[in-house]
Amino acid sequence: PEKQEEASMLEMLPAESNTATESNTTETHHSTTTTTTIINNVHIVQQDFHRLEQLQQQERKVVELEERVARDGLDRAFRELQHKQEMADLADRLARQDEERLKEAQLRQIQIQRDREEEAEKQRKKDRKKKKEMKKQEEHQKQLQLKHEQ
């Protein structure tokens, strides 16, 4: 009933008033369309902004991964270098130990040679002493024999 009442009231209005209503309706429709477009554009901008944030976050993750890979690479290179240095130090230490052992062996060999020479000299002295003693005994024996023969 109210709509019928409005419709009959609109019919009673002069034609000029109807044109104004149509114009207002057109402006309202245009305004609604513009508002909808603005809302859609705002929505698109929000989506683009959200996508940009996601891309920036992914970029930060990529940078962090690259930094971690670089650090890991440096850590690995450092560990390899440290291992090589440890191996070089060990090789040096073993070479020094070998040199020391060789010197010790040479010194022992020299000492053994000296001991043998000393032992040989002692043996020669003993032999000379024995030889002298035997000569003495032979002389003594000859003397006794000569005395006995006389």
Side-chain angles (χ1 to χ4, degrees), residues 93 95-106:
R93 191 167 3 113
R96 280 193 304 275
Q97 287 176 352
D98 286 348
E99 287 176 15
E100 289 172 15
R101 286 186 191 126
L102 180 61
K103 286 178 183 176
E104 288 172 4
Q106 288 172 339

Side-chain angles (χ1 to χ4, degrees), residues 1-54:
E2 284 182 31
K3 284 188 180 182
Q4 282 179 344
E5 196 176 304
E6 280 181 32
S8 57
M9 286 174 96
L10 283 175
E11 287 174 8
M12 288 187 202
L13 289 173
E16 197 178 284
S17 182
N18 272 343
T19 306
T21 304
E22 286 176 14
S23 174
N24 281 343
T25 305
T26 304
E27 284 179 25
T28 303
H29 177 70
H30 180 69
S31 177
T32 304
T33 305
T34 303
T35 303
T36 304
T37 304
I38 289 172
I39 290 172
N40 286 341
N41 286 343
V42 166
H43 185 66
I44 289 170
V45 167
Q46 286 175 336
Q47 287 176 336
D48 288 348
F49 185 73
H50 180 68
R51 182 72 183 134
L52 178 64
E53 284 179 331
Q54 287 178 334

Side-chain angles (χ1 to χ4, degrees), residues 69 71-81:
V69 165
R71 276 193 312 273
D72 289 349
L74 286 175
D75 288 347
R76 190 177 317 109
F78 179 73
R79 284 192 305 272
E80 288 174 7
L81 183 62

Side-chain angles (χ1 to χ4, degrees), residues 108-135:
R108 278 194 305 271
Q109 195 63 35
I110 291 170
Q111 190 60 46
I112 289 170
Q113 186 66 30
R114 285 182 184 159
D115 291 348
R116 285 181 183 162
E117 288 172 2
E118 286 177 12
E119 194 60 40
E121 187 61 34
K122 283 180 186 176
Q123 191 61 41
R124 284 192 293 273
K125 282 183 180 177
K126 258 187 185 179
D127 289 348
R128 277 183 263 157
K129 191 175 182 182
K130 204 174 190 180
K131 197 174 180 181
K132 273 185 181 179
E133 192 62 41
M134 286 182 73
K135 266 188 175 183

